[in-house]
Amino acid sequence: MGKKAAAKKAPQRSQSATATAGTGEIPVVGAREDCPCGSGRRYKACHGREASHAVQELVHRPFEELAGEADWVALRELVPAATVPLTLAAGVADGATGDVPSVTLATVLPLAWPALRRADGSILLGLQTQSSSGDLSRDLADALELALSVEPGAPVPSRRTVPGGRRLQDLLDPAAAFTPAVHTGFEFWLEDAEAATGEVAASLERANASAIPTEKLAGVDAAYWCATPDKNHLRWVMTVPEEQLLDALAKLTAADRSSIGADTRLVGSFRAHGLTVPVWDLPVGMTAADCEKPAAEFAERLAETLKDDAPLTAEERRARANLVNRQVTLN
């Protein structure tokens, strides 16, 4: 065939692309192929542009409207080893491959798997995984749906999330409690961790050695104590709108009421998944149990201060600027 004839030859559509045209599904088609919608344009300049935008669109609060939003953020960004039982919404497990006796959220899984289907059909869903889109909730929901479909006894491989899929808010029972259990290690990876030997036992030991000791406070929501060699910290995820929270923290700091005990100091905050996470430095000898009473007292002071809508004084503005300058965005 000559060059002119080859140039006039229309590009061939893949069979899968033709099959999905007009169904509303995302077609499997090359960027330079004709768009299956029939517009005559290339896919990347037509519906491919919409699909690409959908994948890249950033959702700032992916866990909003889920029970325990602040704890979701903490487990995603701050806590090394924790699990939470999840309750699926009615009908979500219909059509699953085999029985699904339980679904458990885990901070991290071996090899950063998105999810794992145990031999008994139960599911472990990994939270600290790479996000392939701008919506972490959709990525996690995609991994959960894939876990429901794989054969028991297999990990769920990573894949690019299809735009327009369901989110965690569509798959989980909104009335179910979200109660994290923080662990000292990753024994929850294995059904019988005590029987582990050889490389499996060695891998588990290495993982456990890397975990920063962390405990969840019982008296306030989403506050986590952790220990490091030089000092301890309290990291407290709060759902108060950021600007309002920073104003209140500035007022408390200027009034010397922002500490949570002797030799403790509010040193700044993280910004994570649309929420603000104030951080306190603690003395090495201060345990999680020692934090309970002063944290509860601080929560009362903060609640009262949030009701005060008076403009910031000059000293309070300086305290606020100092807090903002030390703020770190995790994502």
Side-chain angles (χ1 to χ4, degrees):
M1 183 182 293
K3 291 183 179 180
K4 291 184 179 180
K8 292 181 180 180
K9 185 177 180 181
Q12 295 181 347
R13 297 185 189 178
S14 66
Q15 188 175 13
S16 59
T18 304
T20 56
T23 65
E25 300 176 4
I26 301 298
V28 180
V29 44
R32 294 182 177 277
E33 293 182 340
D34 288 351
C35 186
C37 75
S39 67
R41 292 185 293 172
R42 290 178 176 177
Y43 177 65
K44 72 173 184 177
C46 191
H47 282 78
R49 178 178 296 173
E50 297 176 10
S52 175
H53 176 74
V55 170
Q56 296 174 10
E57 185 177 1
L58 179 64
V59 176
H60 290 281
R61 288 182 65 175
F63 306 119
E64 190 174 16
E65 299 181 0
L66 286 173
E69 179 189 8
D71 283 310
W72 278 92
V73 171
L75 268 56
R76 165 72 183 185
E77 300 296 339
L78 307 174
V79 181
T83 55
V84 187
L86 298 179
T87 303
L88 299 179
V92 169
D94 294 350
T97 303
D99 293 333
V100 185
S102 65
V103 178
T104 302
L105 181 72
T107 47
V108 66
L109 295 177
L111 303 179
W113 286 327
L116 171 65
R117 189 82 183 270
R118 292 195 187 280
D120 66 354
S122 61
I123 292 172
L124 285 177
L125 176 66
L127 181 56
Q128 295 176 15
T129 57
Q130 290 221 338
S131 177
S132 66
S133 77
D135 185 355
L136 181 57
S137 177
R138 199 180 308 281
D139 294 334
L140 293 167
D142 183 69
L144 177 54
E145 290 189 303
L146 187 55
L148 289 167
S149 67
V150 301
E151 292 290 337
V156 171
S158 298
R159 70 176 183 182
R160 190 172 186 83
T161 303
V162 175
R166 293 194 289 182
R167 308 177 73 235
L168 286 174
Q169 288 82 344
D170 303 315
L171 302 183
L172 301 181
D173 182 353
F178 189 82
T179 309
V182 179
H183 307 290
T184 57
F186 298 93
E187 283 77 12
F188 60 84
W189 284 351
L190 307 174
E191 294 178 86
D192 186 5
E194 293 183 358
T197 59
E199 182 56 32
V200 172
S203 297
L204 186 60
E205 185 176 354
R206 287 194 296 269
N208 287 347
S210 68
I212 296 174
T214 302
E215 295 183 36
K216 186 179 190 300
L217 268 59
V220 294
D221 291 335
Y224 291 81
W225 169 95
C226 69
T228 60
D230 296 329
K231 62 185 70 175
N232 297 343
H233 304 281
L234 183 69
R235 301 180 290 188
W236 193 339
V237 187
M238 298 184 177
T239 56
V240 178
E242 181 179 11
E243 296 303 313
Q244 185 182 358
L245 177 59
L246 288 174
D247 282 352
L249 292 175
K251 290 178 179 180
L252 289 169
T253 300
D256 198 21
R257 302 177 69 212
S258 63
S259 72
I260 53 171
D263 299 321
T264 70
R265 185 168 68 99
L266 175 65
V267 293
S269 64
F270 297 122
R271 184 189 290 116
H273 302 291
L275 300 185
T276 305
V277 189
V279 179
W280 285 262
D281 278 353
L282 314 174
V284 173
M286 191 171 188
T287 66
D290 295 334
C291 293
E292 292 286 0
K293 183 178 178 181
E297 292 171 347
F298 176 84
E300 292 179 1
R301 295 197 300 273
L302 178 62
E304 285 298 316
T305 307
L306 286 168
K307 297 175 185 177
D308 177 13
D309 57 1
L312 299 181
T313 65
E315 185 179 0
E316 290 166 350
R317 288 196 299 273
R318 285 193 294 270
R320 191 186 195 281
N322 192 33
L323 287 171
V324 172
N325 288 338
R326 286 178 285 153
Q327 189 175 54
V328 176
T329 300
L330 296 182
N331 49 64

